[in-house]
Amino acid sequence: VECQSYRLTVEDAPSVDYITRYIASVQQKYTQSGGVRPFGIANLIIGFDTDGTPRLFQTVPSGTFSEWKADAIGRNHKTVLEFLEKKYPEVMEGEGAHDATKLAVRALLEVVESSHKNIEVAVLRRGKELELLEESQVEELVKNIEDEKKAQEESKRAQVQGGSQQ
């Protein structure tokens, strides 16, 4: 409703930043007001600004928000964040949507059982609807990632064995 009101008033689409500020203020009101139940969740808000810039924000129940290039919330989020901090710069040099999706799945595999059944992936592309990947697509991604890990381990073993023989 707020987005429709904004569009009617300003005659332009609201930015992701504006939507985030609005949601954070609602969370803050409910958390600080007596007699109402406070919000108990953090939110990740994603979207593209009118100039096509991708944006990712996190809001918390206290009403504060912050912008990120990559983020995680929930159980074991610290492990996922550490993984993203290490791997994000090298993967995002190409900035392909497939590479970003693969990085997200690799990060999730750090904290969940190695199974596609425990992972759901949604992809947002500029000018398109939010796409929830099919289970078969996620399964293929997980298989590719596990195959890459095995290949890396085998090459490391071969280097160690080759180095010890010399």
Side-chain angles (χ1 to χ4, degrees), residues 4 12 25 28 34 38 40 46 49 66 71 75 110 122 124 144 153-155 163-164:
Q4 291 173 337
D12 201 7
S25 71
Q28 195 271 339
I46 59 171
D49 279 341
S66 51
D71 196 16
R75 188 171 40 134
E110 293 288 312
L124 181 64
N144 290 343
E153 288 172 8
E154 288 174 9
S155 69
S164 64

Side-chain angles (χ1 to χ4, degrees), residues 11-156:
E11 297 181 4
D12 201 7
S15 67
V16 181
D17 180 63
Y18 176 83
I19 295 166
T20 302
R21 288 176 190 275
Y22 178 78
I23 291 170
S25 71
V26 170
Q27 285 181 307
Q28 195 271 339
K29 278 185 215 171
Y30 276 82
T31 301
Q32 299 296 319
S33 300
V36 292
R37 187 169 186 176
F39 281 84
I41 60 167
N43 296 303
L44 291 178
I45 301 168
I46 59 171
F48 290 92
D49 279 341
T50 53
D51 65 354
T53 306
R55 308 290 293 272
L56 168 65
F57 290 92
Q58 178 187 18
T59 67
V60 294
S62 67
T64 59
F65 65 93
S66 51
E67 186 171 12
W68 300 88
K69 292 184 185 266
D71 196 16
I73 56 177
R75 188 171 40 134
N76 295 327
H77 74 280
K78 289 181 182 177
T79 306
V80 174
L81 284 174
E82 288 172 9
F83 180 86
L84 290 171
E85 285 174 2
K86 274 194 277 183
K87 302 291 184 182
Y88 184 87
E90 66 191 51
V91 170
M92 290 298 111
E93 287 174 3
E95 289 200 40
H98 181 73
D99 292 339
T101 305
K102 198 172 186 180
L103 174 66
V105 172
R106 283 178 65 200
L108 289 171
L109 286 173
E110 293 288 312
V111 296
V112 300
E113 278 185 34
S114 290
S115 171
H116 67 281
K117 293 178 182 176
N118 296 328
I119 298 174
E120 290 184 17
V121 179
V123 179
L124 181 64
R125 291 184 176 90
R126 189 175 313 145
K128 295 185 179 178
E129 295 284 320
L130 185 69
E131 173 191 2
L132 189 61
L133 296 186
E134 298 288 329
E135 190 174 324
S136 61
Q137 293 172 298
V138 176
E139 182 179 9
E140 184 180 329
L141 265 172
V142 169
K143 184 183 178 306
N144 290 343
I145 291 167
E146 288 174 349
D147 290 346
E148 286 176 10
K149 282 182 181 179
K150 286 177 186 173
Q152 286 176 345
E153 288 172 8
E154 288 174 9
S155 69
K156 284 181 182 178

